[in-house]
Amino acid sequence: MSTEQEEPARPRLTRAEAKARTRRLLLDAAARVFARKGFAGASVEEIAESAGFSIGALYSNFSGKEALFLELMAERGMGRVAEAAQTLDRHEAGTGEAAAELGRLLVHVADKDTDFAPLQAEFWLYAVRNPHVLDTMATALREPRQALEGLIGTWLVEQGAPTEVPADSVATVVAALFHGLVRLRRVDPDSVPEELFGQALRWLFRGIGADLAPDGPTETGTDRSTDRNVNRATDRA
């Protein structure tokens, strides 16, 4: 009689779990193949083979190469918004540490996440040349965009912002600022030092804070409520 203890049998995956696992393996394989071959050079056949599945399995989960790439982009976007939210929750208001950490996040994306950046540029050019892809791209990226709007919206509510300062507009400016500075730093690192993104957010939120202040200067020539709003905005940045 064997004295070795038999390992318990692993429970079978449910249908939903098996599907999720297949999708994850296909996405991971797509990321590797895209990084190696580029978007144009990658093929669905190679992606499926790299994941250990048939072409049929790939097409039963994704409509094609575009869908795989767009889901990868959306995942990256959600991850960055989650990091920003954690940064704001982690640091005490008034210390300026949140803005500094957001600056470090931008530098990390610009300097370390170099494999995916050329792919994003390549896909953007592909989408511009194939206008039907632009709508699909906008739809696929809606979830990270809404997550960013939620983060901005929370800040605006905390500041008592009026409806004429909509979260979606502020989110658009913040996203454009982030992506623009990332690209500029890749071209000219010295022009985008680590502290610039945090400082730019401070400038943006100071402007919003000033707009929230009631009219009328104090005897010192500045509105104290404006100062309070500026400080709150800066803290949250």
Side-chain angles (χ1 to χ4, degrees):
M1 180 176 179
S2 174
T3 59
E4 294 183 3
Q5 186 176 3
E6 294 184 2
E7 293 185 5
R10 294 181 181 178
R12 294 184 56 141
L13 296 177
T14 66
R15 188 178 186 85
E17 289 171 339
K19 184 177 180 63
R21 178 178 179 275
T22 299
R23 286 178 64 86
R24 183 71 263 159
L25 291 172
L26 286 166
L27 284 166
D28 291 344
R32 293 192 301 270
V33 175
F34 286 141
R36 193 168 64 246
K37 296 272 186 92
F39 178 77
S43 68
V44 290
E45 292 82 5
E46 188 172 2
I47 292 171
E49 182 180 354
S50 178
F53 294 108
S54 66
I55 293 291
L58 187 150
Y59 279 116
S60 68
N61 286 276
F62 298 94
S63 61
K65 191 166 65 169
E66 292 173 6
L68 279 161
F69 189 83
L70 286 172
E71 185 149 340
L72 287 171
M73 281 187 69
E75 282 188 350
R76 294 289 182 105
M78 287 297 294
R80 287 170 186 165
V81 173
E83 286 185 70
Q86 291 167 7
T87 295
L88 294 176
D89 289 339
R90 189 161 49 239
H91 295 292
E92 184 178 351
T95 63
E97 293 176 357
E101 188 167 332
L102 289 173
R104 289 191 290 272
L105 171 62
L106 182 141
V107 167
H108 176 81
V109 171
D111 296 359
K112 305 298 183 183
D113 191 15
T114 54
D115 287 341
F116 204 71
L119 288 169
Q120 287 178 302
E122 181 186 357
F123 189 85
W124 181 84
L125 185 59
Y126 168 79
V128 169
R129 290 173 171 170
N130 297 272
H132 69 280
V133 180
L134 291 174
D135 288 340
T136 306
M137 186 175 180
T139 300
L141 299 180
R142 189 168 295 153
E143 186 178 2
R145 173 59 183 271
Q146 289 174 341
L148 179 59
E149 288 177 16
L151 185 62
I152 296 294
T154 298
W155 175 83
L156 291 173
V157 169
E158 290 177 356
Q159 306 309 309
T163 55
E164 51 268 32
V165 186
D168 58 347
S169 296
V170 180
T172 296
V173 174
V174 171
L177 181 62
F178 182 88
H179 292 298
L181 289 176
V182 165
R183 291 189 179 187
L184 184 57
R185 180 174 171 89
R186 285 177 179 145
V187 175
D188 184 7
D190 291 340
S191 69
V192 185
E194 183 177 287
E195 67 275 9
L196 183 58
F197 182 53
Q199 183 61 66
L201 290 176
R202 288 173 182 265
W203 292 331
L204 172 64
F205 292 144
R206 279 194 183 118
I208 294 174
D211 284 342
L212 300 183
D215 294 333
T218 65
E219 67 277 4
T220 62
T222 59
D223 193 317
R224 291 177 183 172
S225 61
T226 299
D227 292 339
R228 287 196 297 272
N229 283 325
V230 166
N231 289 335
R232 290 176 184 172
T234 302
D235 292 343
R236 292 299 294 170

